[in-house]
């Protein structure tokens, strides 16, 4: 990973909010990286971070096997901020036993009463809401610290070291419920650590172009385009760096949305001037998916078929040395989390087997970025807004939105229904109000009446969710009149669908996609 010269290290102790710390810092144009609490510091100390943040965590510092603090970070002489578990760890490291079970656990909203408004709490309104989540509390604060904030239930809610730039807060400044949280993190990063906040989309592009040119040299790069935002930004960035040393392949797998293959290929060639080859492999994909209804089997067949198509396209050419891939930072974080891999909900849709089978090295220029940051970079690169603002679309495409067995007839029904829904969202200025919208064709037929005739046709489920990052999502509260209009259009215009339902499930417990 090409590290920016000014950066903050976030040590992960297992909090569900750790990614949010990074996202908040990125909003101030500050580069930061998340690493597990037990990372080898030698591997990440060049250049030395300008500050360190210790995240929260689910354990008690007194538990057997609880994550510990690598005190070597203090030898860097840079500011440190402990958050929740991170604060308790600072106290526990200096005075073992200084943290104990609280008589009254504190979860949810509390009001921060400020005792000292210098540096960390500068500009914070007294009594503002903070978000607590702790069952332990500090009953003996080391004499080297002073209390700078408390709540009605927590005598120690914010602290500062008397001599060094070491701070701690018992609440979570990274969550939206903490009214002053962004200001606290900005105070730490800008005022205390002295960062300039110069990590912008423009500077990122300049750094990556230099890094790509240095790595690739005179070799050639292959990029597998999915038609999505991530791979398109990757291809555009690499093309800007090395021109026609890049070759792209965009495959029609028969599972794309209505007219998508032609529209996106047109964008690639005419607007972005990418060296791209369009390959129609739809018959091959549908042939291999025939009779398959299990969603995991679908995903694996689709992934393996992509590999076969790409291998056929490049043949025995040996001039390709690199494969470009749109890996994002959340994928990187998950792979290094000290908690270990999370349980597999569903297979990742990236073309995972390509590098090993094709003997290609990876280039992953956006692996430092979150999804929203990729969009910002895409805009900076001149990719049209109507494309950049597109909703996420799964790698297996409509293959996992036709539940059960696939057929071209079912896919065509879904394509038509999906187009009506998306077109109406755009026409009614609702498209940008939701994170993702989709239609699912259910393996359910029901009786309907059209005119004097009885019908027995499929059911379509429409789904729209609001979200910040797709990790959690709520169903979008679209107007009833709008939903009725969409339902009427789908039923009246598409022969084969006679019933439309609206999915009002949130994530969790449901996922955004149905398969």
């Amino acid at each position: 990973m090409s590290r920016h010269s000014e950066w903050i290290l976030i040590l992960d102790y297992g909090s569900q909010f750790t990614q949010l710390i990074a996202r908040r810092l990125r909003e101030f144009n500050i580069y930061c990286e998340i690493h597990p609490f037990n990372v080898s510091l030698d591997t990440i100390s060049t250049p030395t971070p300008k500050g360190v943040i210790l995240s929260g965590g689910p354990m008690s510092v007194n538990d057997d096997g609880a994550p510990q603090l690598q005190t070597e970070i203090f030898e860097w002489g840079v500011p440190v901020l402990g958050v929740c578990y991170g604060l308790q760890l600072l106290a526990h490291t200096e005075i073992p036993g200084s943290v104990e079970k609280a008589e009254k656990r504190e979860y949810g909203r509390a009001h921060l009463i400020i005792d000292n408004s210098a540096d960390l709490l500068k500009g914070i309104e007294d009594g503002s809401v903070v978000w607590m989540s702790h069952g332990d509390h500090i009953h003996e604060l080391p004499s080297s610290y002073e209390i700078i904030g408390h709540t009605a239930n927590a005598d120690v809610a914010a602290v500062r070291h008397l001599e060094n730039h070491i701070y701690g807060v018992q609440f979570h400044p990274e969550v939206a419920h903490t009214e002053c949280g962004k200001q606290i993190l900005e105070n730490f990063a800008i005022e205390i650590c002295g960062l300039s906040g110069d990590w912008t989309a423009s500077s990122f592009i300049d750094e990556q172009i230099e890094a790509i040119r240095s790595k690739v040299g005179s070799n050639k790069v292959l990029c597998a385009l999915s038609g999505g935002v991530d791979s398109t930004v990757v291809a555009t960035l690499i093309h800007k760096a090395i021109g026609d040393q890049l070759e792209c392949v965009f495959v029609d797998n028969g599972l794309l949305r209505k007219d998508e293959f032609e529209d996106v290929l047109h964008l690639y060639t005419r607007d972005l001037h990418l060296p791209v080859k369009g390959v129609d492999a739809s018959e091959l994909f549908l042939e291999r998916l025939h009779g398959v209804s299990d969603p995991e089997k679908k995903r694996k067949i689709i992934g393996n078929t992509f590999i076969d198509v790409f291998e056929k396209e490049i043949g025995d050419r040996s001039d390709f040395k690199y494969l470009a891939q749109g890996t994002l930072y959340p994928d990187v974080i998950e792979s290094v989390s000290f908690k270990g891999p999370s349980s597999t909900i569903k297979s990742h849709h990236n073309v995972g087997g390509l590098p090993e089978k094709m003997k290609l090295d990876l280039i992953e220029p956006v692996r430092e970025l979150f999804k929203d940051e990729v969009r910002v970079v895409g805009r900076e690169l001149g990719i049209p807004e109507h494309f950049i603002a597109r909703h996420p679309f799964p790698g297996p495409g409509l293959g996992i939105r036709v539940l059960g067995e696939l057929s071209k007839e079912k896919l065509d029904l879904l394509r038509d229904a999906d187009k009506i829904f998306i077109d109406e969202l755009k026409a009614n200025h609702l498209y940008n109000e939701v994170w993702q919208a989709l239609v699912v064709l259910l393996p359910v037929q029901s009786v309907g009446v059209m005119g004097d005739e009885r019908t027995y046709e499929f059911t379509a489920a429409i789904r729209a969710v609001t979200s910040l990052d797709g990790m959690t999502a709520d169903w979008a509260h679209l107007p009833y009149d709008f939903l009725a209009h969409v339902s009427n259009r789908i039923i009246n215009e598409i022969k084969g669908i006679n019933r439309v339902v609206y999915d009002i499930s949130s994530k969790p417990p449901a996922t955004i996609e149905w398969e």
Side-chain angles (χ1 to χ4, degrees):
M1 183 176 287
S2 57
R3 185 170 294 133
H4 194 58
S5 59
E6 286 191 349
W7 69 292
I8 285 182
L9 168 64
I10 302 168
L11 291 175
D12 180 17
Y13 286 87
S15 170
Q16 61 181 314
F17 303 131
T18 302
Q19 282 197 33
L20 286 179
I21 300 175
R23 292 179 68 84
R24 297 293 173 260
L25 291 175
R26 297 284 181 89
E27 291 174 14
F28 309 129
N29 296 327
I30 290 170
Y31 182 66
C32 55
E33 290 180 18
I34 298 173
H35 290 275
F37 75 95
N38 55 359
V39 65
S40 172
L41 297 180
D42 290 340
T43 65
I44 59 170
S45 59
T46 306
T48 303
K50 300 291 186 182
V52 179
I53 296 179
L54 315 175
S55 83
M59 299 184 74
S60 165
V61 294
N62 298 311
D63 290 344
D64 290 338
Q68 298 301 307
L69 177 65
Q70 297 193 65
T71 55
E72 291 84 354
I73 64 171
F74 297 127
E75 297 174 7
W76 291 338
V78 302
V80 175
L81 172 63
V83 174
C84 205
Y85 182 94
L87 162 61
Q88 295 175 2
L89 198 55
L90 290 171
H92 176 75
T93 300
E94 192 161 329
I95 305 179
S98 60
V99 178
E100 65 181 10
K101 290 291 182 186
E103 289 184 13
K104 186 174 182 180
R105 297 182 301 173
E106 196 168 22
Y107 294 95
R109 290 175 174 83
H111 294 276
L112 179 65
I113 302 163
I114 296 175
D115 300 302
N116 189 322
S117 60
D119 47 37
L120 187 68
L121 301 184
K122 181 180 178 181
I124 306 303
E125 184 177 349
D126 195 27
S128 62
V129 172
V130 295
W131 189 258
M132 293 286 194
S133 180
H134 63 98
D136 289 356
H137 76 138
I138 298 173
H139 71 89
E140 182 182 358
L141 188 67
S143 59
S144 54
Y145 289 86
E146 64 172 332
I147 295 172
I148 60 175
H150 67 279
T151 70
N153 293 321
D155 292 336
V156 181
V159 305
R160 179 178 65 184
H161 196 280
L162 292 171
E163 296 180 2
N164 303 317
H165 288 302
I166 304 174
Y167 304 82
V169 292
Q170 187 57 71
F171 50 88
H172 287 277
E174 68 272 27
V175 303
H177 299 301
T178 297
E179 295 175 338
C180 54
K182 288 179 66 174
Q183 181 65 53
I184 290 174
L185 291 174
E186 185 176 14
N187 285 345
F188 178 73
I190 304 293
E191 301 295 332
I192 296 171
C193 296
L195 274 76
S196 57
D198 62 350
W199 193 65
T200 62
S202 178
S203 68
F204 171 82
I205 291 169
D206 290 342
E207 289 173 4
Q208 284 301 318
I209 286 174
E210 183 178 342
I212 291 166
R213 286 173 178 166
S214 175
K215 181 173 185 176
V216 172
S218 59
N219 293 296
K220 299 201 73 169
V221 178
L222 175 67
C223 182
L225 287 166
S226 68
V229 173
D230 302 335
S231 64
T232 302
V233 169
V234 165
T236 307
L237 180 58
I238 294 175
H239 188 240
K240 190 176 178 68
I242 61 172
D244 289 343
Q245 289 171 248
L246 170 73
E247 288 190 26
C248 305
V249 178
F250 178 38
V251 175
D252 182 358
N253 58 6
L255 306 171
L256 300 174
R257 289 167 287 199
K258 193 175 182 73
D259 301 325
E260 183 166 27
F261 183 67
E262 295 78 9
D263 291 346
V264 173
L265 193 58
H266 193 62
L267 168 82
Y268 287 157
T269 55
R270 189 193 68 177
D271 296 342
L272 301 179
H273 307 293
L274 293 175
V276 58
K277 179 180 181 181
V279 178
D280 184 355
S282 55
E283 288 188 9
L284 176 62
F285 277 86
L286 294 182
E287 177 185 317
R288 292 188 176 182
L289 288 165
H290 179 71
V292 178
S293 58
D294 179 78
E296 274 298 291
K297 287 183 179 178
K298 286 183 190 176
R299 288 174 180 271
K300 288 173 181 175
I301 289 170
I302 293 167
N304 289 333
T305 305
F306 265 121
I307 294 172
D308 292 343
V309 171
F310 281 114
E311 283 188 323
K312 181 180 178 182
E313 286 308 311
I314 68 168
D316 59 359
R317 290 176 57 185
S318 59
D319 52 343
F320 285 114
K321 181 174 173 57
Y322 296 99
L323 176 79
Q325 190 165 287
T327 305
L328 299 185
Y329 197 42
D331 303 323
V332 177
I333 296 169
E334 181 63 26
S335 69
V336 300
S337 169
F338 86 89
K339 301 185 289 288
S342 59
S343 59
T344 301
I345 297 172
K346 52 193 175 186
S347 299
H348 198 274
H349 61 253
N350 274 358
V351 187
L354 278 170
E356 183 179 347
K357 290 189 69 174
M358 299 170 67
K359 304 294 190 291
L360 299 176
D361 295 328
L362 279 179
I363 288 185
E364 301 171 305
V366 297
R367 75 193 311 266
E368 301 171 356
L369 305 183
F370 291 100
K371 184 78 173 186
D372 53 337
E373 294 172 324
V374 174
R375 296 186 195 277
V376 174
V377 169
R379 292 185 180 99
E380 186 75 19
L381 287 168
I383 299 174
E385 181 63 28
H386 69 82
F387 186 88
I388 285 294
R390 295 171 85 201
H391 293 170
F393 187 65
L398 301 183
I400 57 168
R401 291 183 182 175
V402 173
L403 304 195
E405 293 185 16
L406 298 174
S407 69
K408 187 176 186 305
E409 292 72 27
K410 289 180 181 178
L411 287 163
D412 286 341
L413 287 177
L414 180 56
R415 268 187 269 269
D416 289 340
D418 178 82
K419 180 167 175 52
I420 288 173
F421 187 31
I422 299 301
D423 284 351
E424 287 294 340
L425 283 168
K426 291 177 178 177
N428 287 272
H429 307 292
L430 293 168
Y431 185 81
N432 292 329
E433 300 299 314
V434 299
W435 163 266
Q436 189 171 354
L438 58 128
V439 180
V440 178
L441 189 70
L442 305 183
V444 175
Q445 290 177 281
S446 64
V447 174
V449 177
M450 291 190 180
D452 294 326
E453 294 184 6
R454 175 184 182 275
T455 61
Y456 191 62
E457 297 176 340
F458 287 103
T459 300
I462 58 178
R463 179 149 172 75
V465 298
T466 57
S467 178
L468 291 176
D469 51 20
M471 300 298 291
T472 61
D474 191 17
W475 61 278
H477 295 232
L478 299 175
Y480 292 154
D481 289 346
F482 170 80
L483 293 173
H485 177 63
V486 170
S487 174
N488 286 337
R489 278 201 62 192
I490 290 174
I491 293 171
N492 289 332
E493 298 177 28
I494 303 175
K495 184 174 176 55
I497 297 176
N498 68 354
R499 192 178 297 271
V500 174
V501 297
Y502 188 49
D503 182 349
I504 58 170
S505 310
S506 295
K507 177 187 179 182
T511 52
I512 295 176
E513 299 285 347
W514 280 45
E515 287 193 342

